[in-house]
Amino acid sequence: RVISLHDLIYVELLMEIDALDAKYGEDWSPLDTHLDSAPEDLFQPYRPNTTDEALAIWQEAYEWTYYEQVLAGISKAHHQDDGNHPKSFDAIFCIDDRECSLRRYIEQTDSNCRTWGTPGFFNVAFYYQPEHGKFYTKVCPAPLTPVHLIKEYNPQKALSSDVHFTKQTHSVVSGWLISQTLGFWSAFKLFLNIFKPGISPATTYSFSHMDRRARLSVENKKPEDKVHGLQIGFTLDEMTDRVEGLLKSIGLTDQFGNLVYVVGHGASSINNTHYAGYDCGACSGRPGSVNARVVSHMANHPFVREKLEQRGLKIPAGTRFIGALHDTTRDEIEFYDDDQLPEDLQQQHQQNILVFKKALSFNAKERSRRFILTETSAAPERVHEQVKLRSVSLFEPRPELNHATNTLCVVGRRGLTDHLFLDRRAFLNSYDYRVDPEGKYLLNILKAATPVCGGINLEYYFSRVDNQRLGAGTKLPHNVMGLIGVANGADGDLRTGLPWQMVEVHDPLRLLIIAEHFPEVVKTILMSSPETYEWYQHNWVNMVVVHPETHVMYRFKDGEFKPYLPPAIALPTCFDLNGLIETESENIPVQLLLQAS
């Protein structure tokens, strides 16, 4: 059954009334009849006092102490790729801040490649139904209502299951027999897993969301054929529109590499009631593997290529798109349909796989700085193995810290930030103002990035400043309540925010959005979208615009963009895995950088 939050509260209140009736009979009255004065109106206008004003000044100084370091780095070493030399490959990632460091290591490993960022549903919104699946799963931003359905069929690998999860346990006799036999075996396996963690059928494993060898119903030749009002697959014109929107929105319109990787992301865990929050938010808390594979199929279609060329977007005949999934907890990657590559691209693909694997090991090592039980000083490959074990350890309540340090969202060309070490704190959305002089694509990006990235940031902000009232406390005793939320143990109250294990290393800063375009264009498009503009009007997020030609910065304040000159600060340019941050002036220990930020 579909159970709403309203239904849960209604039933709980009825049970409380029954409890009062049982104890007091009819001789009881609501609590508000015993109050000496009316309760405070929580929605009346609030006037800040002196303490509030002092805290606001402190918060502003706290935030801009960090912002100024980033803006100084961007203004000091701004550069752009001339784009005149062929690329080894292109890789399109989700804007997620966890991909920030992986993109950096890929670019460091192969300096001739390019990486891009865009929301991880890759401009294809649909429901997904796996083979033998009873339900449709939405794999697009939550506010969207898809009208398409992608179905999986002919999977090559059957999903495994533990024998003690059989339905035979539901009856009295067989349930008792199974608990006295298989139950002991299950307990032994549980005990063994503590000392030797491993992936089991009970593990939330991102790569099991879709069989990599299965077929998908991407193309639809009969739009009139629908299932429950949903069109199976996309028409050729719909496919063309979505590929064009994706590539133009990020600025990938020329100089294509022979291989273009579209990399979604997901996460794995075994003991985490919040696991859905570790997957892709742009895919409604699901892995982005299906989206990456679907849009790659579309971009490889001959008819789509022909229509795109008619619209002024030419993809070379030798370029192939490959879908992939990055498991951000385990730092592993899986590629889809790469067995269909022509022979001349197979060797190049195998070389690129080595680039990804090396970058993933270095990425795992960088992440391990915040993992208390991980031997960070070991070689990247050894640290990587420890990170994989961490993801399936029953005793690990922090398999991945997720967005725990996010502070930035950068919307612009890669040259704004590719020289900076942003410490996995930035959402990176690729965008080229030259493709979009009127800001139409930029408006769509900001309409999505502002509430999503800003909302994530505020969720962490409030859960960090007051974890007991605005967060969720420790997640160790959490129980899932009706697939709606979590509660602490047997407590009936739903927890509204994030648990302490997700926010303990978070700095409570509001999000700073840095966009590359002309300030007058940005103001015009923001004013055209009141629901987006109010985020900036009420200072829920901060914004700085970088002029694409003069590189002068403009800060949005009091409804206007005003010139902003960042101070001269030596900012890190790369991450040294020996524990040092390199700047132009000196080497700063990682610990000092973290304390300063």
Side-chain angles (χ1 to χ4, degrees):
R1 287 196 56 186
V2 177
I3 302 173
S4 68
L5 178 60
H6 172 273
D7 298 336
L8 178 69
I9 294 175
Y10 202 96
V11 171
E12 184 170 339
L13 290 176
L14 288 175
M15 293 175 67
E16 290 184 7
I17 291 175
D18 287 344
L20 289 169
D21 287 341
K23 185 169 184 178
Y24 301 106
E26 299 296 330
D27 189 22
W28 65 272
S29 56
L31 290 175
D32 62 355
T33 61
H34 302 281
L35 297 176
D36 297 329
S37 59
E40 180 182 354
D41 183 2
L42 298 178
F43 298 98
Q44 66 179 347
Y46 180 77
R47 295 182 179 180
N49 55 36
T50 305
T51 302
D52 296 328
E53 293 175 352
L55 288 173
I57 294 172
W58 186 92
Q59 180 71 28
E60 189 88 358
Y62 179 53
E63 292 173 336
W64 280 92
T65 299
Y66 168 75
Y67 296 158
E68 286 180 344
Q69 298 179 56
V70 178
L71 296 174
I74 290 176
S75 65
K76 191 173 183 180
H78 185 281
H79 76 282
Q80 294 295 346
D81 185 0
D82 58 18
N84 293 327
H85 56 279
K87 304 302 176 184
S88 54
F89 66 87
D90 290 287
I92 306 174
F93 290 87
C94 180
I95 66 172
D96 193 281
D97 49 314
R98 290 168 290 178
E99 306 291 18
C100 171
S101 54
L102 178 59
R103 290 177 58 183
R104 173 165 29 90
Y105 282 118
I106 290 174
E107 292 165 348
Q108 288 179 9
T109 305
D110 183 350
S111 59
N112 200 33
C113 74
R114 293 184 299 186
T115 67
W116 310 80
T118 190
F121 75 112
F122 302 115
N123 203 37
V124 283
F126 53 83
Y127 288 99
Y128 167 63
Q129 185 182 26
E131 180 84 349
H132 307 304
K134 295 182 179 179
F135 308 104
Y136 302 159
T137 302
K138 181 191 286 190
V139 280
C140 63
L144 298 183
T145 303
V147 296
H148 299 86
L149 173 66
I150 297 294
K151 302 185 72 172
E152 178 191 46
Y153 58 96
N154 293 339
Q156 304 299 310
K157 182 180 178 181
L159 292 177
S160 57
S161 61
D162 280 323
V163 65
H164 58 271
F165 286 130
T166 174
K167 290 184 178 181
Q168 300 301 321
T169 59
H170 296 178
S171 64
V172 176
V173 177
S174 60
W176 182 86
L177 290 173
I178 291 173
S179 65
Q180 300 302 314
T181 53
L182 295 178
F184 289 106
W185 168 242
S186 174
F188 176 74
K189 287 182 62 178
L190 183 67
F191 176 78
L192 188 64
N193 186 273
I194 295 176
F195 299 96
K196 190 177 180 180
I199 296 175
S200 71
T203 303
T204 302
Y205 192 45
S206 64
F207 297 121
S208 64
H209 188 60
M210 175 187 64
D211 188 336
R212 66 188 299 265
R213 298 302 181 193
R215 304 287 299 278
L216 297 177
S217 58
V218 180
E219 185 176 347
N220 182 291
K221 298 180 180 179
K222 296 181 178 180
E224 63 277 6
D225 294 342
K226 297 186 178 182
V227 178
H228 299 297
L230 299 174
Q231 174 184 303
I232 299 178
F234 293 80
T235 64
L236 294 174
D237 287 331
E238 290 172 338
M239 293 162 64
T240 304
D241 292 339
R242 280 148 182 81
V243 175
E244 179 187 23
L246 170 66
L247 298 180
K248 286 188 175 180
S249 69
I250 64 176
L252 178 54
T253 57
D254 56 13
Q255 298 294 326
F256 288 87
N258 290 334
L259 292 170
V260 180
Y261 297 95
V262 184
V263 187
H265 69 98
S268 299
S269 65
I270 195 171
N271 186 21
N272 185 16
T273 53
H274 296 261
Y275 78 89
Y278 285 69
D279 284 328
C280 183
C283 300
S284 289
R286 295 292 184 270
S289 50
V290 188
N291 304 72
R293 193 175 177 190
V294 165
V295 79
S296 296
H297 177 94
M298 294 177 174
N300 288 328
H301 198 287
F303 176 86
V304 174
R305 296 276 182 98
E306 181 181 338
K307 295 287 287 185
L308 287 175
E309 187 171 358
Q310 295 174 7
R311 301 181 186 185
L313 179 56
K314 180 176 175 57
I315 301 175
T319 295
R320 292 294 296 268
F321 285 70
I322 299 178
L325 179 70
H326 170 214
D327 189 312
T328 55
T329 313
R330 298 175 58 82
D331 266 322
E332 293 180 323
I333 195 167
E334 185 172 86
F335 298 95
Y336 304 111
D337 302 319
D338 53 341
D339 57 328
Q340 300 178 20
L341 286 174
E343 188 174 345
D344 60 324
L345 292 180
Q346 277 291 352
Q347 184 176 358
Q348 182 179 348
H349 175 54
Q350 294 304 317
Q351 294 174 346
N352 295 340
I353 288 178
L354 298 178
V355 173
F356 278 98
K357 286 185 176 180
K358 182 177 180 180
L360 288 165
S361 292
F362 277 80
N363 193 59
K365 183 175 175 71
E366 180 175 326
R367 290 174 52 211
S368 70
R369 292 179 300 140
R370 296 189 174 96
F371 297 159
I372 297 176
L373 299 179
T374 303
E375 187 183 351
T376 305
S377 60
E381 294 76 13
R382 183 175 175 184
V383 174
H384 195 179
E385 292 303 318
Q386 295 181 49
V387 169
K388 292 178 185 178
L389 287 176
R390 178 188 177 89
S391 69
V392 291
S393 296
L394 280 171
F395 53 81
E396 180 51 71
R398 304 170 182 83
E400 181 184 358
L401 290 173
N402 205 356
H403 306 292
T405 58
N406 73 91
T407 53
L408 306 167
C409 177
V410 183
V411 183
R413 291 172 291 175
R414 183 62 174 138
L416 280 176
T417 56
D418 63 355
H419 56 288
L420 293 179
F421 171 72
L422 295 177
D423 200 18
R424 297 170 51 84
R425 308 185 76 173
F427 298 97
L428 300 177
N429 199 128
S430 299
Y431 172 75
D432 193 335
Y433 78 100
R434 296 170 299 183
V435 179
D436 184 38
E438 296 180 358
K440 294 180 180 179
Y441 287 117
L442 180 60
L443 175 60
N444 291 331
I445 290 172
L446 293 179
K447 287 173 67 174
T450 301
V452 173
C453 300
I456 290 172
N457 184 271
L458 289 179
E459 186 178 30
Y460 276 80
Y461 176 93
F462 289 115
S463 297
R464 178 64 176 84
V465 296
D466 191 345
N467 191 249
Q468 289 304 317
R469 288 187 292 182
L470 303 177
T474 176
K475 71 179 181 181
L476 299 182
H478 281 180
N479 286 328
V480 178
M481 300 283 285
L483 299 182
I484 296 172
V486 296
N488 274 1
D491 291 348
D493 292 337
L494 295 176
R495 304 311 303 258
T496 58
L498 301 174
W500 177 250
Q501 288 82 1
M502 293 174 70
V503 300
E504 58 188 330
V505 299
H506 185 71
D507 293 324
L509 310 177
R510 284 171 293 181
L511 189 75
L512 173 65
I513 293 184
I514 303 171
E516 185 187 25
H517 213 308
F518 301 102
E520 59 272 16
V521 174
V522 178
K523 183 178 180 181
T524 299
I525 63 173
L526 286 179
M527 296 290 288
S528 69
S529 175
E531 69 278 8
T532 304
Y533 180 71
E534 68 174 347
W535 282 79
Y536 304 93
Q537 182 184 21
H538 296 300
N539 300 316
W540 298 335
V541 296
N542 292 297
M543 172 174 267
V544 167
V545 168
V546 180
H547 195 290
E549 296 177 353
T550 66
H551 308 320
V552 173
M553 295 184 177
Y554 296 83
R555 177 186 176 184
F556 184 81
K557 191 173 183 180
D558 301 327
E560 298 291 339
F561 280 106
K562 302 176 181 179
Y564 169 78
L565 182 63
I569 299 174
L571 198 70
T573 55
C574 69
F575 179 63
D576 179 1
L577 287 174
N578 292 321
L580 297 176
I581 298 295
E582 296 180 4
T583 68
E584 293 184 3
S585 58
E586 58 184 348
N587 287 332
I588 305 174
V590 170
Q591 293 80 1
L592 294 182
L593 177 76
L594 295 178
Q595 291 171 11
S597 63

